């Protein structure tokens, strides 16, 4: 994370590795959602008609996919917090709030009103009791955009804080003590929230409130780093230690989940106050911090720059995240007639869906598509696709 106020060349490099981070993490989200549709059942998905969960492959994929769903988006909250400092300094609290409402609020409404009910409608096309699009709209939710809801809440909270207490000079950079406190806050705060909900909660329009403590702390870490003018670099030795802590923490978390799940006691680990939930909360805090910092450090060192294809994918990552449920379900429906089992389809659809979700028609393609369309499809092409193209420019993930 390059310091605020650096030269143009450094800013471009910052954007390159952050763009790569977005592409890698959102590709992981697409693969996890594909697994949820075909071979795992720890969460529902828009299309699950071919799901098979009683195989060795399902078991082998389910636990890593669950860990990806729980920890995978953490680095994006840190990056968002980092970029928010510069944006607030440039725009002021009021301007920053206006910007966040546009960049996050409008795409959020777009998803809830159109993308989510459309994905639900497409996923249930072969169901006897399938709802219409309007029926799905009446039952819509935030779904994958819980991330954006949490990010919007963090952004508004940060703007309120700095309007009341403006930053006076540079603050101390985060140190080991700060990270221990951050992990402890995630553990204790999450355990407190789990007394009223669960880690996989779908209440409140599936806003995933159970993950907001993690989101807020990681966002705050990004803010602290930027406000201290720290470039975010860590030594290779620290990077290795963070990786080791991440691996050990994930293994212990998997063991805990597998142990309680095998005894039909997984709910005990996900809610309430007992040895399992306390253990899970501690591991949740440790892995959230260790994995996030390791991911940022390792990826920045490994891929500081990239080519034009990755640059284009990075710029469109926000629109990809927003629209991928519809694209992914469409790919799944295309493979519905292929006579293969759920496991090979999971692999094939993952390989096909990731580039398909990142694909964008060129601007001149809008006119060609519109001329060759009619009826509802023409409306979709003329209004929805250009809207997605505009959202692509919002850069709401950072």
């Amino acid at each position: 994370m390059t310091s605020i106020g650096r030269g143009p060349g450094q800013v471009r490099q910052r954007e390159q590795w952050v763009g790569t981070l977005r592409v890698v993490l959102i590709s992981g989200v697409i693969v996890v959602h594909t697994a949820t549709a075909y071979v795992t059942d720890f969460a529902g998905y828009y299309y699950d008609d071919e799901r098979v969960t009683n195989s060795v492959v399902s078991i082998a994929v389910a636990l890593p996919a669950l860990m990806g769903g729980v920890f995978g988006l953490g680095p994006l909250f840190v990056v968002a917090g980092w970029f928010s400092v510069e944006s607030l300094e440039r725009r002021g609290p009021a301007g920053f709030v206006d910007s966040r409402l546009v960049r996050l609020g409008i795409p959020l409404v777009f998803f809830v009103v159109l993308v989510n009910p459309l994905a639900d409608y497409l996923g249930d096309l072969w169901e006897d009791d399938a709802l219409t699009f309007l029926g799905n709209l009446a039952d819509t939710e935030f779904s994958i955009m819980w991330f954006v809801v949490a990010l919007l809440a963090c952004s508004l909270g940060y703007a309120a804080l700095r309007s009341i207490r403006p930053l006076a000079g540079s603050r101390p950079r985060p140190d080991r003590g700060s990270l221990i406190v951050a992990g402890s806050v995630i553990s204790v705060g999450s355990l407190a929230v789990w007394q009223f909900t669960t880690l996989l909660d779908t209440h409140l329009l599936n806003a995933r409130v159970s993950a907001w403590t993690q989101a807020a702390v990681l966002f705050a870490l990004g803010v602290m780093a930027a406000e201290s003018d720290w470039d975010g670099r860590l030594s290779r030795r620290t990077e290795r230690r963070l990786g080791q802590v991440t691996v050990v923490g994930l293994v212990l978390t998997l063991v805990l989940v597998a142990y309680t799940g095998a005894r039909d006691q997984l709910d005990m680990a996900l809610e309430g106050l007992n040895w399992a939930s306390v253990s899970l909360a501690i591991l949740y805090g440790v892995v959230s911090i260790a994995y996030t910092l390791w991911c940022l450090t390792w990826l920045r060192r490994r891929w500081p720059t990239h080519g034009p294809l990755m640059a284009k994918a990075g710029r469109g990552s926000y629109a990809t995240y927003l629209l991928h449920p519809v694209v992914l379900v469409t790919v799944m429906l295309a493979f519905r007639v292929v006579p293969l089992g759920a496991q090979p389809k999971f692999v094939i659809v993952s390989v096909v869906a990731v580039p398909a979700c990142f694909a964008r028609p060129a601007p001149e393609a809008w006119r060609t598509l519109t001329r060759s369309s009619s009826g509802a499809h023409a409306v979709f092409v003329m209004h929805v696709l250009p809207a997605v193209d505009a959202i692509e420019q919002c850069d709401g993930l950072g």
Side-chain angles (χ1 to χ4, degrees):
M1 289 174 281
T2 306
S3 297
I4 296 172
R6 302 296 185 185
Q10 290 175 298
V11 172
R12 284 193 293 271
Q13 182 166 328
R14 176 199 67 187
E15 293 174 345
Q16 287 187 20
W17 78 264
V18 171
T20 302
L21 172 73
R22 292 169 176 168
V23 172
V24 169
L25 294 185
I26 292 173
S27 296
V29 169
I30 296 169
V31 173
V32 168
H33 289 165
T34 306
T36 304
Y38 284 114
V39 295
T40 71
D41 60 356
F42 61 82
Y45 199 65
Y46 301 100
Y47 176 81
D48 58 7
D49 290 1
E50 302 175 80
R51 179 189 287 170
V52 176
T53 60
N54 58 353
S55 68
V56 175
V57 174
S58 298
I59 296 173
V61 172
L63 294 179
L66 177 60
M67 295 300 98
V70 171
F71 300 110
L73 293 179
L76 293 181
F77 281 107
V78 175
V79 169
W82 178 273
F83 289 152
S84 293
V85 174
E86 182 180 14
S87 179
L88 189 141
E89 288 179 350
R90 186 174 67 253
R91 303 171 188 272
F96 175 76
V97 169
D98 289 343
S99 173
R100 292 293 91 185
L101 290 174
V102 170
R103 292 170 179 265
L104 299 174
I106 292 177
L108 178 62
V109 172
F110 179 83
F111 179 89
V112 171
V113 172
L114 179 63
V115 176
N116 188 70
L118 180 59
D120 270 325
Y121 172 74
L122 293 174
D124 292 339
L125 277 178
W126 273 264
E127 298 290 338
D128 294 333
D129 56 348
L131 297 176
T132 63
F133 174 84
L134 292 179
N136 283 295
L137 177 60
D139 197 34
T140 192
E141 61 183 14
F142 295 123
S143 184
I144 64 163
M145 294 293 276
W146 73 267
F147 167 82
V148 174
V149 178
L151 184 54
L152 181 59
C154 292
S155 300
L156 297 180
Y158 175 56
L161 174 64
R162 284 294 167 251
S163 65
I164 298 171
R165 296 183 58 184
L167 181 66
S170 181
R171 63 188 300 171
R173 60 174 283 183
D175 54 14
R176 182 179 299 178
S178 303
L179 300 182
I180 293 174
V181 170
S184 300
V185 171
I186 291 177
S187 297
V188 175
S190 297
L191 184 61
V193 173
W194 295 348
Q195 305 311 303
F196 308 98
T197 181
T198 71
L199 189 58
L200 302 178
D201 174 41
T202 59
H203 296 101
L204 298 177
L205 298 180
N206 200 7
R208 289 280 304 276
V209 177
S210 58
W212 282 29
T213 304
Q214 179 203 61
V217 171
L218 295 177
F219 183 91
L221 276 180
V223 168
M224 291 172 60
E227 289 185 343
S228 66
D229 202 29
W230 175 43
D231 69 0
R233 295 183 186 277
L234 298 172
S235 67
R236 292 290 296 274
R237 181 182 180 187
T238 302
E239 178 188 327
R240 286 193 297 270
R241 287 184 174 178
L242 288 169
Q244 292 165 357
V245 172
T246 299
V247 171
V248 172
L250 285 175
V251 169
L252 291 176
T253 303
L254 291 173
V255 169
L256 177 61
V257 171
Y259 177 83
T260 54
R263 286 158 177 75
D264 199 25
Q265 297 176 337
L266 183 57
D267 287 344
M268 183 176 71
L270 297 178
E271 58 185 336
L273 188 62
N274 51 72
W275 72 268
S277 62
V278 171
S279 300
L280 181 61
I282 293 172
L283 292 169
Y284 184 61
V286 171
V287 176
S288 293
I289 298 298
Y291 157 74
T292 297
L293 294 181
W294 170 83
C295 179
L296 291 169
T297 304
W298 178 84
L299 192 142
R300 178 185 182 178
R301 176 181 59 80
R302 180 65 181 82
W303 288 305
T305 59
H306 54 228
L309 186 61
M310 183 66 77
K312 181 179 180 181
R315 288 194 300 271
S317 58
Y318 188 25
T320 295
Y321 184 82
L322 181 148
L323 195 61
H324 86 264
V326 170
V327 178
L328 181 55
V329 170
T330 301
V331 173
M332 291 174 178
L333 293 178
F335 278 88
R336 182 183 176 93
V337 297
V338 178
L340 292 173
Q343 292 82 13
K345 278 192 179 182
F346 157 61
V347 176
I348 295 172
V349 170
S350 295
V351 172
V352 173
V354 169
C357 289
F358 279 97
R360 288 287 179 278
E364 59 271 13
W366 300 135
R367 293 186 292 274
T368 302
L369 285 171
T370 303
R371 287 195 297 268
S372 62
S373 305
S374 60
H377 184 237
V379 173
F380 180 82
V381 169
M382 287 188 293
H383 299 289
V384 176
L385 294 182
V388 173
D389 191 53
I391 289 170
E392 182 175 293
Q393 309 305 319
C394 285
D395 195 23
L397 295 180

